[in-house]
Amino acid sequence: MQFTNFNSCIYMFQVNTTTATYKDNKMFHYEGGWPKDINMKDLEQTVRYRRKIEKDELYIHTMLQLLPSMEHCILQNNACNIYEEYFADVEVTPLIQRAFSRTVNVYRDPLTLKRQITHLSWSPDQGNRFAASYCNVDFKKTSSNNYTSYIWEVENPNNPYMALKPFCPILTLEYNPKDSNTLISGLMTGQVACWDIRRGSEAVDISLVEFSHRDPCDKTLWINSKTGTEFFSASKDGQIKWWDTRKMQVPTETLIIDLQKPENQNVDKATGISALQFEPSIGTRFMCGLENGIVISGNRKGKTPAEKIATRFKAQYGPVISLERNPTFVKNFLTVGDWTSRIWSEDCRESCIAWTPGHRDFLTGGAWSATRYSVYYLIKIDGTLDVWDFIIQQDSPVLSIKVCDESLTYLRPHEQGQLAAVANKKGSTYLLEFSEALTVNQKNDKLLLTALLDRETRREKVIEAKNREQRLKMKTLKMHGESDFTDVSSKPDEREDSKESSDGLMNALIMQCEQEYENIINAELTRQVEINTVELNNNVMQNNVIMN
């Protein structure tokens, strides 16, 4: 086979292109362009030249060609730039965001026999984990001997991160705000226990039974101390006990809530504690809600028990289920009980400054939002979570969420505000995520809420002063009547006359009130008659006009 080699040749070509020549022409414009031989300031010459050009045959054709470009330029001048900030010096009003929420994860009890979740607590390391205490509080039902509670990771709803195995059910489980490895818990036996997850799933220290609560310990809270080892607990036995994890056997201090005779410290006459609250920024101050609906604002620095529980609020008609101070406005606190929730101010002791209307379903808990000042959450027995925004509206919630069909038992918002853990009676925990409208403060929210709380506080103070004056007046009248009636030294006729005079004064007050009420009714009836007469005359006039 023969191969042939071909030499390939490359040819180079040069191409010369036509050079574009540019020339600058200048024209002096004064009401248009004019030739050199026309004096633009001479009106007669310019008018004659315009007539000559307008009579030209190419004038109309030239104008038709120039009109599209001229129209395009005119439209561009009139166009609006939608991205331009025309009012740069005016503050931009943010758009109203829609309030909504969604369920992120569901954490279910691994045991077959479902137990109620009694408490939730977020870990202090940015809330990546939360602890849940599981306890069957219905003693009529038989429960298993498995009293395990769990620590869950937020990102893993399938399996618990760790199981805590006590010898009896745990009612409350609280993370140490300074150490994510340490927890405290209240047990069914009334004891308190300390846990260290680095040392295993069993409690590292437990208080002695004889120095613990008489009833199940269902309230524990850490105290903002220098060592980070102090906490206090409460129970239905009416005792508050302060503890130190370095010496757990015996409490460091005990306070008995005896409202009748605080100095006696009689446990048998103590009122049960149903809610406990501690604000780290206040220090030695604490609050507790009682089973009779009273809220006590206590001071640990008081020298006597009476001084420690001096401030009292008649908050609810039933047990105080939830009690929490506003994270920003610490003078104001939220109470939840029976079918209502109320917002209180420490400056007004006789009445609350705001309250929600009565709910059809029993309330089981509530908490403030950790980030937005005016938002708080309420959970109900029908499985619904209501979100209230005190600034937007006070008569109805801004958002109502049907979380599940079972009764909700506990609510704990995340410290960053966007998440909230909600537990139910069947051992499930729902992680809810809220929109920015419910978690982020607007620019003027703090000022608006401050003005609103101050206004409501002043209003309640005025009402309290009027009620106090009225009670004092009635008490004075009653005392005068009784003293005159029981004065033995006075004659019977004089006592009867004084009694008749006091009774006559009371009757005069009653008659005056009745007369004022009757005058208001008559004035309203007269106004209605006048309105009806005017409407009737208008109708008659309209009918006459139509007939004519």
Side-chain angles (χ1 to χ4, degrees):
M1 186 173 182
Q2 185 178 3
F3 294 92
T4 306
N5 293 328
F6 296 96
N7 294 325
S8 56
C9 297
I10 300 176
Y11 298 95
M12 302 295 294
F13 295 96
Q14 291 182 352
V15 178
N16 293 326
T17 58
T18 305
T19 303
T21 305
Y22 297 95
K23 183 180 179 181
D24 294 334
N25 292 324
K26 299 179 180 180
M27 180 182 293
F28 181 77
H29 284 268
Y30 183 84
E31 293 186 358
W34 299 97
K36 293 180 180 181
D37 55 345
I38 300 297
N39 185 8
M40 60 190 133
K41 295 182 180 181
D42 188 353
L43 180 61
E44 184 179 353
Q45 291 186 13
T46 55
V47 170
R48 192 183 305 116
Y49 184 77
R50 282 198 189 97
R51 291 176 181 175
K52 177 182 177 183
I53 295 298
E54 290 174 359
K55 292 180 180 179
D56 194 351
E57 296 180 356
L58 297 177
Y59 174 74
I60 297 176
H61 181 69
T62 305
M63 291 299 296
L64 291 176
Q65 289 181 345
L66 293 175
L67 279 176
S69 58
M70 293 173 61
E71 185 178 7
H72 176 71
C73 294
I74 293 172
L75 292 176
Q76 276 190 333
N77 292 333
N78 295 333
C80 230
N81 183 7
I82 63 174
Y83 301 104
E84 183 180 353
E85 294 184 5
Y86 292 96
F87 306 99
D89 55 336
V90 179
E91 184 179 354
V92 179
T93 304
L95 297 176
I96 299 176
Q97 298 180 353
R98 187 173 62 91
F100 64 91
S101 71
R102 66 185 185 97
T103 303
V104 180
N105 284 327
V106 181
Y107 310 84
R108 305 186 188 278
D109 189 358
L111 296 183
T112 306
L113 181 64
K114 302 303 179 185
R115 303 162 295 166
Q116 175 179 330
I117 297 178
T118 55
H119 193 82
L120 296 170
S121 177
W122 289 97
S123 62
D125 52 350
Q126 298 182 354
N128 296 324
R129 303 189 187 103
F130 66 90
S133 59
Y134 296 78
C135 176
N136 191 355
V137 295
D138 191 355
F139 296 101
K140 295 180 181 179
K141 297 181 180 179
T142 57
S143 59
S144 63
N145 295 327
N146 194 340
Y147 307 128
T148 307
S149 292
Y150 300 101
I151 297 175
W152 296 87
E153 281 187 329
V154 174
E155 300 297 334
N156 185 12
N158 299 321
N159 298 312
Y161 170 75
M162 187 176 182
L164 303 179
K165 299 178 180 179
F167 66 92
C168 68
I170 297 177
L171 286 173
T172 176
L173 195 60
E174 191 72 29
Y175 263 105
N176 189 331
K178 296 181 180 180
D179 186 4
S180 59
N181 297 315
T182 308
L183 299 95
I184 54 170
S185 62
L187 306 180
M188 184 70 74
T189 58
Q191 298 169 275
V192 292
C194 180
W195 306 79
D196 192 339
I197 61 176
R198 296 168 295 186
R199 298 172 61 178
S201 58
E202 296 183 356
V204 296
D205 204 354
I206 302 176
S207 64
L208 298 177
V209 177
E210 55 267 26
F211 297 107
S212 301
H213 294 279
R214 294 185 175 186
D215 287 342
C217 179
D218 55 354
K219 299 290 180 294
T220 55
L221 280 178
W222 289 93
I223 298 175
N224 189 19
S225 60
K226 294 181 180 180
T227 59
T229 58
E230 297 182 15
F231 68 96
F232 68 134
S233 62
S235 175
K236 299 294 191 299
D237 62 352
Q239 297 185 86
I240 299 177
K241 294 179 178 291
W242 281 265
W243 307 83
D244 195 323
T245 56
R246 296 172 295 183
K247 188 180 179 182
M248 284 282 295
Q249 287 74 22
V250 181
T252 58
E253 187 181 348
T254 301
L255 177 64
I256 298 175
I257 308 298
D258 186 359
L259 301 179
Q260 301 298 329
K261 297 180 179 180
E263 294 81 3
N264 295 339
Q265 292 280 291
N266 191 351
V267 183
D268 297 330
K269 295 183 179 180
T271 307
I273 300 171
S274 57
L276 195 63
Q277 193 279 333
F278 177 77
E279 175 59 38
S281 61
I282 299 180
T284 58
R285 299 285 297 277
F286 66 92
M287 299 185 75
C288 60
L290 307 182
E291 290 185 327
N292 58 0
I294 293 178
V295 170
I296 291 179
S297 178
N299 189 355
R300 195 180 174 188
K301 285 185 177 180
K303 297 180 180 180
T304 62
E307 293 179 0
K308 293 181 180 180
I309 58 174
T311 308
R312 304 178 187 181
F313 303 86
K314 180 57 181 175
Q316 306 289 151
Y317 294 106
V320 180
I321 298 173
S322 294
L323 172 64
E324 187 175 347
R325 288 184 185 270
N326 189 295
T328 307
F329 303 90
V330 293
K331 275 191 174 183
N332 302 98
F333 58 92
L334 171 72
T335 62
V336 179
D338 46 70
W339 288 269
T340 59
S341 65
R342 294 178 172 89
I343 298 176
W344 298 78
S345 174
E346 287 188 342
D347 298 331
C348 300
R349 299 184 182 181
E350 297 182 7
S351 59
C352 58
I353 62 174
W355 59 91
T356 58
H359 294 77
R360 297 184 60 183
D361 299 291
F362 192 80
L363 298 177
T364 56
W368 288 98
S369 172
T371 54
R372 188 167 169 84
Y373 311 128
S374 58
V375 170
Y376 62 94
Y377 311 104
L378 298 177
I379 54 176
K380 297 187 288 187
I381 200 171
D382 63 342
T384 305
L385 182 143
D386 290 341
V387 184
W388 292 76
D389 195 329
F390 197 48
I391 292 179
I392 296 177
Q393 56 190 21
Q394 294 87 32
D395 56 347
S396 61
V398 295
L399 180 64
S400 185
I401 311 157
K402 182 68 174 178
V403 181
C404 60
D405 295 329
E406 289 81 19
S407 172
L408 300 179
T409 58
Y410 200 82
L411 164 71
R412 194 66 176 265
H414 192 270
E415 60 181 2
Q416 297 179 0
Q418 193 172 6
L419 300 175
V422 185
N424 70 355
K425 198 173 183 180
K426 295 296 184 181
S428 299
T429 304
Y430 297 85
L431 188 64
L432 303 180
E433 182 181 6
F434 298 100
S435 62
E436 290 187 1
L438 301 175
T439 57
V440 179
N441 290 299
Q442 302 299 326
K443 187 175 181 180
N444 296 326
D445 280 359
K446 192 170 185 178
L447 296 176
L448 291 174
L449 187 58
T450 302
L452 182 60
L453 294 175
D454 291 343
R455 183 177 69 248
E456 295 299 324
T457 302
R458 288 195 302 270
R459 181 179 64 86
E460 290 299 328
K461 283 183 178 179
V462 171
I463 295 175
E464 285 182 7
K466 288 184 178 179
N467 293 336
R468 201 177 299 114
E469 183 181 354
Q470 189 70 21
R471 286 196 301 268
L472 183 61
K473 185 185 295 183
M474 297 298 293
K475 186 178 179 180
T476 304
L477 292 174
K478 188 176 179 181
M479 288 177 62
H480 281 303
E482 290 180 355
S483 62
D484 293 337
F485 183 73
T486 57
D487 189 1
V488 181
S489 62
S490 61
K491 297 179 180 180
D493 296 337
E494 294 178 355
R495 291 200 300 267
E496 290 179 0
D497 293 340
S498 61
K499 183 179 179 182
E500 289 178 358
S501 62
S502 62
D503 292 341
L505 182 59
M506 291 292 295
N507 293 332
L509 289 174
I510 294 173
M511 290 178 64
Q512 181 181 357
C513 294
E514 290 179 350
Q515 186 63 37
E516 291 178 356
Y517 180 73
E518 186 176 355
N519 293 337
I520 293 172
I521 297 297
N522 293 333
E524 182 66 21
L525 292 175
T526 304
R527 191 176 67 86
Q528 292 292 337
V529 170
E530 292 177 355
I531 292 174
N532 295 334
T533 305
V534 172
E535 291 180 353
L536 181 62
N537 293 334
N538 292 335
N539 293 332
V540 170
M541 292 177 63
Q542 291 179 358
N543 293 333
N544 293 334
V545 170
I546 293 173
M547 293 177 65
N548 293 332

